[in-house]
């Protein structure tokens, strides 16, 4: 229930340090009222260190090489790669659950949609977060 959060202007370096120091897989980006604006996950940080394939060029008569327009995903990747603040690298379409979500439904959501961690929202405010590690811990507790 105690969720570490960041603001939109938190630096990417501070986010990486926070996630590393606390061994967490993601951190919600919230406003002052604890409304979730986005989430920065390990994947968002890793994307910053991948190669971006440059746009292909086409030859037009004798006018020279003209770059093809970059698809939207390339623009998004550039923003992630060059961004310095949470607002630049966060995933803004956040998958959330409510406090009464069944564990099986949460696990299915994580597997089918590849989301981790998942913020828990009640009355439009962040009240918790669940990660894959939390599910494993719960399973281990039930077994032992």
């Amino acid at each position: 229930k105690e969720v570490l959060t960041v603001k939109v202007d938190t630096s990417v370096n501070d986010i990486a340090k926070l996630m590393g120091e606390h061994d967490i897989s993601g951190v919600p980006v919230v406003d002052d009222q604890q409304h979730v604006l986005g989430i920065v996950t390990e994947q968002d940080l890793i994307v910053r260190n991948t190669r971006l394939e440059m746009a292909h060029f086409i030859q037009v008569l004798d006018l020279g090489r003209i770059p093809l327009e970059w698809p939207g995903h390339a623009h998004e990747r550039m923003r992630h790669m060059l961004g310095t603040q949470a607002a630049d690298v966060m995933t803004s379409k956040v998958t959330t659950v409510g406090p009464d979500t069944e564990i099986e439904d949460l696990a299915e959501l994580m597997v089918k949609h590849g989301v981790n961690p998942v913020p828990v929202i009640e009355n439009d405010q962040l009240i918790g977060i669940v990660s894959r590690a939390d599910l494993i811990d719960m399973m281990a507790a039930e077994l032992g």
Side-chain angles (χ1 to χ4, degrees):
K1 289 190 174 198
E2 293 181 30
V3 184
L4 297 172
T5 62
V6 297
K7 302 292 185 185
V8 291
D9 60 351
T10 304
S11 77
V12 171
N13 290 344
D14 287 346
I15 294 169
K17 287 178 192 173
L18 179 72
M19 289 171 60
E21 288 170 0
H22 294 277
D23 194 28
I24 55 176
S25 57
V27 60
V29 181
V30 298
D31 63 15
D32 291 335
Q33 291 76 41
Q34 290 300 99
H35 297 125
V36 176
L37 306 174
I39 190 165
V40 178
T41 65
E42 294 165 321
Q43 182 164 337
D44 292 317
L45 296 180
I46 291 169
V47 164
R48 295 186 81 236
N49 294 307
T50 60
R51 290 185 185 96
L52 180 66
E53 295 179 19
M54 298 304 290
H56 297 292
F57 291 85
I58 58 171
Q59 184 74 31
V60 179
L61 304 173
D62 288 328
L63 301 176
R65 292 164 47 124
I66 298 175
L68 294 174
E69 185 174 331
W70 287 21
H73 71 278
H75 180 268
E76 184 70 14
R77 292 233 6 243
M78 282 294 290
R79 186 176 63 84
H80 269 81
M81 291 173 71
L82 301 175
T84 59
Q85 297 182 333
D88 302 323
V89 300
M90 72 182 188
T91 299
S92 55
K93 293 181 182 174
V94 183
T95 300
T96 64
V97 295
D100 297 327
T101 302
E102 297 288 330
I103 296 301
E104 294 81 7
D105 294 334
L106 178 60
E108 186 174 334
L109 178 75
M110 289 177 158
V111 171
K112 285 188 175 179
H113 297 281
V115 293
N116 182 59
V118 179
V120 181
I121 305 294
E122 186 171 48
N123 298 324
D124 292 327
Q125 292 185 313
L126 179 68
I127 62 166
I129 194 162
V130 183
S131 70
R132 290 182 192 129
D134 293 326
L135 293 182
I136 298 300
D137 290 346
M138 188 187 71
M139 288 171 31
E142 287 178 359
L143 295 173

